[in-house]
Amino acid sequence: MSEGAVETILFYAIAAMSLFFAIATVTARRLLRAAVALMFVLVLSAGFYVMLAAEFLAGVQVLVYVGGIVVVIVFVIMLTSSVDLLEERPPLLRKALGALAAIGFFGTTAAVYLTTDFGAAADAAPPAESARAIGAALLDYGPHGYVVPFEVISLLLLAALVGGIAVARRSPPPSQPLTSGGDLPGEVSFTPPKRQNDPEGGASHA
Amino acid sequence: MCMLPELIVVATALTVLVADLFLSERRRVVLALLTLVGLAAALAALLAAPAGSLFGGRFSVDEVAIWFKVVFLLASFLTVCLSLDQLDGRVKVRVRGIGLRGEYYAVLLSTLVGAMFLVSARDLVTLYVSLELATIPLFALAAWKRSDAGSQEAGLKYVVMGALASAFLLYGFSLLFGLAGSTDLAAIAAAVRPSPALFLALALVTTGIGFKLTLVPFHMWAGDVYEGAPLPVIAYLSVASKAVGLAVMFQIFYRVLGHMVKDLGPLLAFLAAATMTLGNTVAIVQRSIKRFMAFSAISQAGYIVMGFLGPDAGGVPAMLFYMLAYVAANMAVFGVIIFYANATGRERIEEYRGLARTNPLLALAMMLALFSLAGIPPLSGFVGKFFLFSIASKAGFHWLVAVAAVNSTISLYYYLRIVRQMYIEPVYPEAARLPVTPTLAATVAVTTVASLVLGLVPVFYEVIHNQTIEWLAKLVG
């Protein structure tokens, strides 16, 4: 069997599994199951990247999505003890509308892809594959470099971090003076009123 | 050094963030001043620096980019002016949970940086990443009233809808890349030909932009987010965030599709008509002033999009001028809304009754600004609308001009609802003159005068027109 045939078989196998798990993700009624199915979808996408000779991208996909995002999702599900939570069964009308929208979008895109010649992209120089080439492109400040988006992303990360922490911070206790707006230095040493079964206690200020 | 304004804003954001750590609570009032100084310096640097490009053309400043950056910087400056009373606690009725001043200003400035990079972007990657920088920090700002369920809900809804819109936009961008084989906007413009894939890409991109610009039917997040978010953040959302959407539209519709934007006329005309009609009809029945301003802002987006219909480049200066007039008028309205909320905590339209008796000057400013939004001559809103309507009329969309004229009349009705409450309805029995802080008074005064002067003195429009009328011709070549 030629190498091309093996690759084709492999592609369809990954595609079929990916589809199966993608459908499982949206139809699963238990959140944890959906998260696990999502993890498989993401791993299989990394498989596609490997087949396209983008090994670095595949590695990043596994690291960031599987190792990072899905783990966080699982953490959230576990911590909020919503493991046993069952999603409500959507009414039939909503199911039908959702299916209609999905099929419509799929039909449109499939029709477009079948009738379009993506020659320009296929003929273009193959994108840099190695981590070294990608790294060089990210820091290249010439006309083909990506140093501007690279720096903008660093700002985006900082802003998202600061914003996320600010929103997630404990709001000021009612006993604080009205002018403080919650950023009194005193808030740092503030211990919440003792409650039974308070899992945090005052430990978050350690 | 054409990136200097952006660098100043970044430096200000970082300075504010770090200074916040070392200041005692009492001294943190200087953070707002620091932010304002940084913004003013950035504006000065922007007006002093010539157009140019950096990084081999990957970051480029032209006349239109300068005007957009002026709009962004002014909107942010005014937003900080409107925010600082609430954040510093100089209010009668305190907003629960709002605080963390250093972080607030730093996050606000980062969205501004994203907006400024976005208009200078010359490739899809920078465009997308800057748009995310202009959007994602706003999710946090919308939820800034901690311990307030409405604000949290606003933030969550904004995140979910924003992620969806972003996914659509990215899908569209990936199709554009697939068609052209390059992320460079000029190279894409040279490569794309009308094809089903291009129209699919365009539909997806329009969905993403429509979310930012609140075009119907992609507007559904606006009402709930405006309802829950802190008032100064809404002011920023309604002005700067819309300008960001318009800037992305300039980048895609003019820079990439400049030679075929005329063929898209019917689609854009439909979007404009749907947006202004829905925004206006829904605004009529609103009782909360926040939701009211949400739908008013939606209808304004409908008028702005008319500028893309032009057979020639006339739409570019018309849209930029309208944006500037809209910033002035909308910020004046929000100035009065925030003043009233700070002083009394009232946020419903019928609760504005008798404001003209207690604070006649502020009521007058609010009335003028609302009339400018409705498009009453001689205010700047009228002049701006006049140019936009004439663009659509020249392009042959007479039905759209008729729809827009009817909509303007409807909008006058609902803007008058507030004026009636302020001037005709009886005043609250115990009402006395409400104190107004100097910053708010100055902000309202400056923006109101600006929305008068922009309409009366033609030199502003002439400058914008002379600087940007050649812009599109250079692109299409």
Side-chain angles (χ1 to χ4, degrees):
Chain A
M1 206 158 32
S2 70
E3 202 180 312
V6 174
E7 215 167 275
T8 312
I9 293 171
L10 206 58
F11 172 79
Y12 281 109
I14 296 182
M17 283 196 286
S18 184
L19 260 182
F20 171 77
F21 283 114
I23 293 172
T25 308
V26 288
T27 49
R29 286 185 66 212
R30 283 180 196 282
L31 280 178
L32 196 59
R33 279 190 195 168
V36 172
L38 179 69
M39 186 184 76
F40 280 109
V41 176
L42 295 170
V43 170
L44 290 165
S45 314
F48 286 127
Y49 294 146
V50 172
M51 294 188 75
L52 292 167
E55 283 88 5
F56 178 71
L57 197 58
V60 170
Q61 167 87 5
V62 171
L63 268 180
V64 172
Y65 284 92
V66 183
I69 291 177
V70 172
V71 169
V72 171
I73 293 177
V74 171
F75 256 107
V76 169
I77 295 172
M78 297 292 193
L79 282 179
T80 52
S81 63
S82 45
V83 182
D84 304 323
L85 205 67
L86 281 181
E87 202 192 349
E88 274 178 54
R89 283 194 196 283
L92 193 63
L93 179 71
R94 214 167 77 199
K95 266 190 192 165
L97 281 177
L100 202 68
I103 291 169
F105 188 70
F106 173 74
T108 317
T109 43
V112 164
Y113 292 150
L114 289 177
T115 54
T116 306
D117 169 30
F118 286 101
D123 298 342
E129 296 150 20
S130 70
R132 179 186 290 271
I134 292 174
L138 280 181
L139 293 178
D140 177 8
Y141 45 82
H144 301 292
Y146 290 92
V147 71
V148 182
F150 184 69
E151 293 300 330
V152 172
I153 278 198
S154 65
L155 273 176
L156 172 56
L157 276 177
L158 178 69
L161 266 176
V162 173
I165 293 170
V167 169
R169 257 183 76 173
R170 192 192 310 275
S171 42
S175 57
Q176 251 184 26
L178 282 183
T179 48
S180 86
D183 47 358
L184 256 187
E187 193 188 351
V188 179
S189 58
F190 159 73
T191 34
K194 281 271 186 300
R195 263 182 294 154
Q196 250 74 42
N197 306 329
D198 187 357
E200 286 178 53
S204 56
H205 298 296
Chain B
M1 190 55 200
C2 56
M3 208 195 261
L4 193 58
E6 283 84 353
L7 294 180
I8 293 178
V9 177
V10 173
T12 314
L14 296 179
T15 313
V16 167
L17 199 58
V18 175
D20 180 69
L21 293 175
F22 296 102
L23 289 172
S24 66
E25 172 61 28
R26 193 181 295 277
R27 298 225 172 91
R28 284 201 181 122
V29 286
V30 301
L31 293 175
L33 190 68
L34 203 61
T35 313
L36 291 177
V37 169
L39 286 171
L43 195 58
L46 177 70
L47 297 177
S53 68
L54 280 176
F55 304 120
R58 288 260 151 159
F59 177 92
S60 171
V61 180
D62 54 23
E63 305 84 4
V64 166
I66 289 180
W67 278 108
F68 265 113
K69 288 180 188 182
V70 167
V71 169
F72 295 144
L73 281 168
L74 283 179
S76 308
F77 190 92
L78 294 169
T79 307
V80 174
C81 290
L82 297 182
S83 312
L84 51 85
D85 282 335
Q86 281 192 1
L87 286 165
D88 293 343
R90 278 191 297 275
V91 295
K92 263 274 179 47
V93 180
R94 182 166 170 257
V95 187
R96 284 284 306 157
I98 202 163
L100 302 173
R101 284 172 255 179
E103 288 83 348
Y104 177 90
Y105 294 126
V107 170
L108 187 70
L109 288 173
S110 354
T111 82
L112 170 66
V113 176
M116 290 171 75
F117 269 110
L118 183 142
V119 273
S120 286
R122 291 296 175 270
D123 64 311
L124 285 180
V125 180
T126 315
L127 184 62
Y128 177 72
V129 171
S130 325
L131 180 64
E132 291 297 282
L133 178 56
T135 309
I136 289 179
L138 285 175
F139 301 156
L141 285 178
W144 208 263
K145 285 191 282 182
R146 295 158 300 150
S147 77
D148 179 284
S151 183
Q152 308 290 322
E153 183 192 335
L156 188 64
K157 280 188 175 158
Y158 200 19
V159 169
V160 173
M161 298 308 293
L164 189 67
S166 177
F168 274 112
L169 192 74
L170 200 55
Y171 200 170
F173 279 2
S174 72
L175 278 174
L176 283 180
F177 172 75
L179 287 169
S182 166
T183 59
D184 188 70
L185 294 182
I188 298 174
V192 292
R193 301 277 168 276
S195 69
L198 181 64
F199 289 119
L200 179 63
L202 196 60
L204 293 168
V205 170
T206 311
T207 308
I209 298 174
F211 166 80
K212 287 290 312 172
L213 203 51
T214 59
L215 297 178
V216 172
F218 316 113
H219 68 284
M220 59 295 233
W221 59 277
D224 292 336
V225 172
Y226 279 49
E227 174 93 65
L231 271 168
V233 176
I234 309 174
Y236 185 85
L237 267 180
S238 70
V239 175
S241 188
K242 279 211 191 317
V244 166
L246 191 67
V248 185
M249 223 165 155
F250 266 59
Q251 295 275 30
I252 299 294
F253 279 75
Y254 280 150
R255 205 174 281 285
V256 175
L257 305 166
H259 50 281
M260 48 184 293
V261 72
K262 274 171 241 158
D263 309 328
L264 301 171
L267 168 83
L268 289 167
F270 169 75
L271 276 180
T275 305
M276 60 180 92
T277 310
L278 185 127
N280 277 324
T281 40
V282 178
I284 294 177
V285 294
Q286 296 308 318
R287 300 165 70 91
S288 148
I289 191 101
K290 289 170 152 184
R291 283 191 92 89
F292 172 83
M293 287 310 287
F295 288 100
S296 149
I298 289 174
S299 71
Q300 300 288 337
Y303 301 127
I304 290 180
V305 172
M306 290 170 77
F308 282 100
L309 299 172
D312 52 17
V316 176
M319 281 186 278
L320 287 172
F321 179 78
Y322 194 77
M323 206 65 228
L324 217 54
Y326 174 62
V327 169
N330 222 40
M331 281 304 191
V333 173
F334 270 105
V336 179
I337 294 176
I338 288 172
F339 145 76
Y340 202 55
N342 283 353
T344 63
R346 294 179 184 139
E347 282 172 5
R348 302 179 73 78
I349 289 177
E350 65 265 25
E351 288 170 344
Y352 277 75
R353 62 194 174 97
L355 185 62
R357 264 6 97 57
T358 55
N359 294 66
L361 278 176
L362 279 167
L364 180 70
M366 177 98 156
M367 183 176 76
L368 285 175
L370 287 173
F371 281 170
S372 179
L373 286 179
I376 304 269
L379 295 149
S380 57
F382 166 74
V383 184
K385 267 189 192 163
F386 175 78
F387 288 127
L388 288 173
F389 286 15
S390 66
I391 298 284
S393 158
K394 255 192 274 178
F397 289 96
H398 299 294
W399 64 270
L400 182 63
V401 178
V403 170
V406 170
N407 267 302
S408 284
T409 321
I410 299 176
S411 74
L412 182 60
Y413 163 74
Y414 64 69
Y415 288 127
L416 275 173
R417 268 179 67 206
I418 300 180
V419 176
R420 196 192 76 157
Q421 293 293 340
M422 292 192 303
Y423 278 89
I424 297 175
E425 293 295 312
V427 69
Y428 279 100
E430 75 284 16
R433 190 181 167 281
L434 299 167
V436 54
T437 55
T439 359
L440 267 185
T443 313
V444 172
V446 168
T447 42
T448 313
V449 170
S451 56
L452 253 174
V453 170
L454 279 173
L456 286 176
V457 185
V459 63
F460 294 100
Y461 180 74
E462 275 169 13
V463 171
I464 298 181
H465 182 269
N466 294 340
Q467 286 187 4
T468 59
I469 192 73
E470 298 293 326
W471 181 77
L472 187 57
K474 270 190 282 181
L475 276 187
V476 181

